[in-house]
Amino acid sequence: MGEKKIKFEYKFGSMIEIPRAAITAADVARNAEFFSFGTNDLTQMTYGYSRDDAERNFLITYQEQGILLKNPFQTIDRHGVGTLMQWAISEGRKTRPDLEVGICGEHGGDPDSIEWCHMIGNNYVSCSPFRVPIARLAAAHAALKHRPVVAKKPVAKKAAVKKVAAKKVVKKAVKKVAKKK
């Protein structure tokens, strides 16, 4: 690029695809300007089994028997993989407060996973093109559901006292007019 005298902006980042990368996120963030969670690989490494083997052989049985509530390759497991993600974001932003964070893969098109990503502070999700409409709708739902509550300003006591006093004056005036008649 220097030879052609071409300049362009870019960011240097890291895929977080193994539990150790998530656990050491504070160190990784020293050099990385963004994290992108590879949630399929992170799920495989966290659970210790391959997606292909699990879905072909035992995952449905685990769901039927209540061992797993959902397929962790379709919806982020909030208590396992999700907690690793949350930790990585928190620790990474301690090192680099403006750290940009996202996910890529099938989870990026799953509404429940998108809600979790919103809750833990992801900046974006990435998914396959056919899931983009679902992802946009899910992101909007999450933003509305978890929007900050705006506190209502308390009514000033002086203003309330003045209103009560004004009402009393009006009532007295009405009584005086009624007595004169």
Side-chain angles (χ1 to χ4, degrees):
M1 293 306 206
E3 191 178 292
K4 299 287 184 182
K5 297 186 194 258
I6 298 173
K7 291 184 181 181
F8 62 93
E9 300 247 344
Y10 65 92
K11 289 184 178 184
F12 180 79
S14 178
M15 292 291 295
I16 306 293
E17 297 179 304
I18 60 174
R20 187 177 192 287
I23 292 168
T24 61
D27 295 331
V28 176
R30 286 191 191 119
N31 296 307
E33 297 171 285
F34 70 87
F35 288 168
S36 183
F37 290 98
T39 52
N40 287 330
D41 288 341
L42 187 57
T43 299
Q44 288 185 100
M45 294 293 288
T46 301
Y47 275 85
Y49 46 69
S50 85
R51 180 180 185 167
D52 292 339
D53 290 344
E55 289 186 327
R56 184 174 44 243
N57 296 312
F58 57 86
L59 199 57
I60 292 172
T61 303
Y62 280 14
Q63 287 178 265
E64 289 171 351
Q65 293 180 2
I67 297 168
L68 295 173
L69 298 177
K70 296 179 180 180
N71 179 338
F73 296 106
Q74 292 174 357
T75 300
I76 291 173
D77 163 32
R78 292 182 181 193
H79 296 295
V81 175
T83 299
L84 283 172
M85 293 170 64
Q86 187 174 26
W87 168 270
I89 293 168
S90 174
E91 293 300 303
R93 287 190 174 143
K94 285 178 186 175
T95 301
R96 185 181 296 273
D98 62 341
L99 182 70
E100 201 170 299
V101 181
I103 67 167
C104 62
E106 189 171 338
H107 292 107
D110 172 61
D112 189 61
S113 299
I114 290 168
E115 179 185 29
W116 177 249
C117 289
H118 176 81
M119 291 168 62
I120 63 174
N122 277 28
N123 301 98
Y124 66 90
V125 297
S126 174
C127 61
S128 61
F130 80 93
R131 297 192 86 174
V132 168
I134 294 168
R136 284 183 171 172
L137 185 60
H141 282 168
L144 289 171
K145 183 177 178 181
H146 299 284
R147 70 177 171 249
V149 177
V150 178
K152 293 182 180 179
K153 293 182 180 179
V155 177
K157 287 186 178 182
K158 288 182 181 178
V161 170
K162 286 181 181 178
K163 280 185 179 180
V164 171
K167 283 183 181 180
K168 286 181 182 178
V169 169
V170 169
K171 282 184 181 180
K172 284 182 181 178
V174 170
K175 283 181 182 178
K176 283 183 183 178
V177 170
K179 284 183 183 179
K180 287 182 181 178
K181 289 185 180 182

